Amino acid sequence: MAIRIGEVARRAGLATSAIRFYEREGLIPKADRRGNARVYGDDVFDRLALIELAKSAGFTVAETRHLLRGVSRRSPPGPRWRRLAEKKLDEVEARIAEARRMRAVLKAVMTCECPTFEDCTRAGC
Amino acid sequence: MAIRIGEVARRAGLATSAIRFYEREGLIPKADRRGNARVYGDDVFDRLALIELAKSAGFTVAETRHLLRGVSRRSPPGPRWRRLAEKKLDEVEARIAEARRMRAVLKAVMTCECPTFEDCTRAGC
DNA sequence: CGGACACTTGAAGTACGCTTCAAGCCGGGG
DNA sequence: CCCCGGCTTGAAGCGTACTTCAAGTGTCCG
């Protein structure tokens, strides 16, 4: 208990600036103060873990704020999570598809033997 | 011949601002002027097509500038393209991998039945 | 009590690819 | 001759997730 921001950052593998940023953005509650320094309880790590989870799922900060409203690590992943996850899934699939298209273009460029780009276009390289 | 920027934009499906941006960034040569308005020949569409190609392969503007140096649509995709394409391929594969990880997390969230996030973490959801 | 050190703030900076804006110029039709 | 529409410019803005900076405040240890 009563951990200061530097220690939280070290343990969580984050920069202190990131933690302050999360607070500003409403992803973690306003910390208690000792003097003017923030002090945290152990629960902050749970909160940060949830943020990491959302991040690893591709959610933006704004989406994560929404996602975390009224949620603790002891809550179940409710219908709001499922709904947002479905939407995000579409986005992520789209990203995968686009990256695959890029990969196809790159492979074509690497292997094609057309004498000019013009021919490439015709041949679909 | 002697097409003005608005018409080029319309035909290429781009905004005029994008074309001016490409010129500033050195992706297309400085256009001739009629008065102070830019005028283009048909070759500009070839150039724009090459830019689109690079873009569709995931290259940044800076990379594209490098890629296009001394290249026309009549040039062959030389060793420089192949070299840069190989590097970019690694990046793109990484993007695919990350997006796949996101997808896995999202699917887990959508299907998991853990009573709390804490249990999720233990179960690897 | 003094000094080192961690912390505080708001503002600005970063990378990326453009877009948007304000203010002004130019040519052609009525 | 005047106006409209399309063009010009440089500067600033956008969205994302933070980082960095300068200048100041507070705490802890000896």
Side-chain angles (χ1 to χ4, degrees), chain A residues 19-36:
Chain A
I19 297 171
R20 277 189 291 262
F21 173 72
Y22 290 157
E23 182 179 310
R24 262 203 309 281
E25 291 295 314
L27 301 192
I28 51 183
K30 306 253 173 199
D32 293 339
R33 301 297 179 116
R34 174 185 295 172
N36 71 351

Side-chain angles (χ1 to χ4, degrees), chain B residues 34-99:
Chain B
R34 174 185 295 172
N36 71 349
R38 291 169 179 82
V39 287
Y40 297 93
D42 286 337
D43 51 341
V44 73
F45 295 109
D46 286 343
R47 193 79 183 176
L48 291 173
L50 284 177
I51 292 171
E52 286 304 298
L53 175 65
K55 212 172 124 180
S56 73
F59 289 107
T60 65
V61 166
E63 288 162 343
T64 302
R65 176 172 38 238
H66 185 202
L67 222 36
L68 266 69
R69 209 170 289 154
V71 168
S72 91
R73 209 175 177 201
R74 273 80 191 169
S75 342
R80 192 164 73 226
W81 279 68
R82 264 167 252 258
R83 220 176 331 107
L84 292 175
E86 266 178 73
K87 277 191 195 157
K88 186 55 68 175
L89 188 56
D90 290 345
E91 274 183 50
V92 169
E93 301 273 24
R95 278 191 230 175
I96 293 174
E98 206 201 335

Side-chain angles (χ1 to χ4, degrees), chain A residues 22-124:
Chain A
Y22 290 157
E23 182 179 310
R24 262 203 309 281
E25 291 295 314
L27 301 192
I28 51 183
K30 306 253 173 199
D32 293 339
R33 301 297 179 116
R34 174 185 295 172
N36 71 351
R38 291 170 179 81
V39 288
Y40 296 93
D42 286 336
D43 51 341
V44 74
F45 296 109
D46 286 344
R47 192 80 183 173
L48 291 173
L50 283 177
I51 292 170
E52 286 303 301
L53 175 65
K55 211 172 123 179
S56 73
F59 290 106
T60 65
V61 166
E63 288 162 343
T64 302
R65 176 173 39 237
H66 185 201
L67 222 38
L68 268 76
R69 210 170 289 154
V71 168
S72 90
R73 208 175 178 200
R74 272 81 190 168
S75 342
R80 193 165 73 226
W81 278 67
R82 264 168 251 256
R83 219 176 335 107
L84 292 175
E86 266 178 72
K87 276 190 197 159
K88 185 56 68 175
L89 188 56
D90 291 345
E91 275 183 48
V92 168
E93 302 273 25
R95 278 191 230 176
I96 292 174
E98 206 201 334
R100 276 212 259 259
R101 261 176 267 128
M102 289 178 182
R103 185 172 55 183
V105 171
L106 288 167
K107 285 192 174 171
V109 166
M110 283 166 58
T111 62
C112 114
E113 313 224 334
C114 293
T116 73
F117 285 109
E118 205 167 12
D119 300 307
C120 277
T121 309
R122 285 203 205 94

Side-chain angles (χ1 to χ4, degrees), chain B residues 1-5 8 30-34 37-41:
Chain B
M1 280 294 190
I3 313 161
R4 300 210 295 173
I5 199 171
V8 171
K30 305 254 175 199
D32 292 340
R33 301 298 179 116
R34 174 185 295 172
R38 291 169 179 82
V39 287
Y40 297 93

